[in-house]
Amino acid sequence: MAARWLKVLATAPLMLASLAGTPAKALVPYVVLPSERNLEAAGLGIAQAASRLLKLGQAEEAASLAALTVQLIPTDARGWLLLAEAQLRSGEDAEASASLEQARNLDPRNAGILFAQGSLALKANQPARAVELIREGQRIDDRNAGSYFDLGNGYILLGESKAALSAFERASKLRSDFWEAINNQSLVLYEQRKDAEAIQRWRSVLTIRPTAAEPMLALAAALNAQDPSNSESLDLAKRALAGDPNYVLSSYQQEQLWGTRLREATSVLLANTSLKGDVERAQANADAEPAEQPR
C-alpha cells in the first residue's frame, strides 16, 4: 500500500503540470536561511559559553567556540577579542596577534585592543613596538593602570629607567594595591643606587602582599648588602625561596627584569652559609615556572 501511494505522490506534480498545459519542471528544494538577527543571537550565545570556559581554564575549548563566534558575527570586535584572549591562553601568540588586528580594524578607537597588542609585543621582545602601541592606547584611555605597568616594563627593556619609574608610579597611583608596580619601582630605584627609597617601597609591597617571594628576596638582598648576615635578611630569604624556588636562579631574576646590581647583591646573600640548605632545596625544586606572574 505504501509503495502505491508513494508512486502516486511522485507523479502528481507532473500530472498537474500536464493538465495545466505547461512543461513539467523539477522541484527545487526550499531552504530556510537564518536571519542576520538570529545569527547574531547564536553568535553571542556561543561567545558567552566560550567566556565561561575561559573562566574555568579551558582555553583550547574556548578558542574553538570563539572561532565559531567570529564566523557567525565577523563584524563584531568583541568576538575577535574573545578569540584573541583564548588563543593567548592556549599559547597561540601568532594567531592571537592576527585576531587582535582584526578587532582593531573593526574598532580602532578601542584602547583595550591597543593595550593587548602592546602586551603581546612585550612578550615577543619588541619593547619599542610595545611602547608605541600602549602610548597610542593611552591617548584614548589614560586611566588604565595595567597599561602603565606594561609601559614601564617596555621602558626598562629599552634602558629608559627614568621613564620606567614614572610609568610604574602612575600605575600605583591609579590602583593603590598594585603591588607589582610598587615592586618594580623598587627595582628601578635600587639600580639608581637609591637604596633607602627602594627598601621603603619593598616594605610597603609586603604590607599589601606579605607572601610575595620576589619583593621578599629583593628586600633581603638589599638589607644584607647594608648589614651582612643580619637576621631579618636571612629570614626573608628563607621564606622567599620556600615560596618560589625559581628566584634562586639568576637567569630567572633577569627574566623578571632584575637589574645587574640587585642580582649581584642577591648572589652574595645566597652564598651565606646559613642559607646553604635553603639554596640547595630551591635549586632542586626550581623549574623556571613562576608561582606568580606579575609581568
Side-chain angles (χ1 to χ4, degrees), residues 176-177 179 182 199-212 215-216 219 239:
S176 60
D177 64 344
W179 68 267
I182 303 171
I199 288 171
Q200 182 272 325
R201 296 191 198 194
W202 272 317
R203 289 195 185 281
S204 70
V205 170
L206 292 176
T207 64
I208 300 170
R209 184 62 65 91
T211 60
M216 198 179 295
L219 175 60
R239 289 162 51 200

Side-chain angles (χ1 to χ4, degrees), residues 142-148 169-178:
D142 66 350
R143 304 287 299 173
N144 186 291
S147 74
Y148 282 97
E169 289 177 337
R170 174 68 170 159
S172 62
K173 283 180 182 177
L174 288 169
R175 206 177 85 202
S176 60
D177 64 344
F178 202 160

Side-chain angles (χ1 to χ4, degrees), residues 249-271:
L249 305 173
S250 180
S251 59
Y252 184 71
Q253 296 164 14
Q254 188 170 3
E255 286 176 17
Q256 297 299 97
L257 303 185
W258 287 29
T260 302
R261 185 167 178 253
L262 181 58
R263 295 202 308 277
E264 289 175 350
T266 304
S267 178
V268 171
L269 168 65
L270 298 183

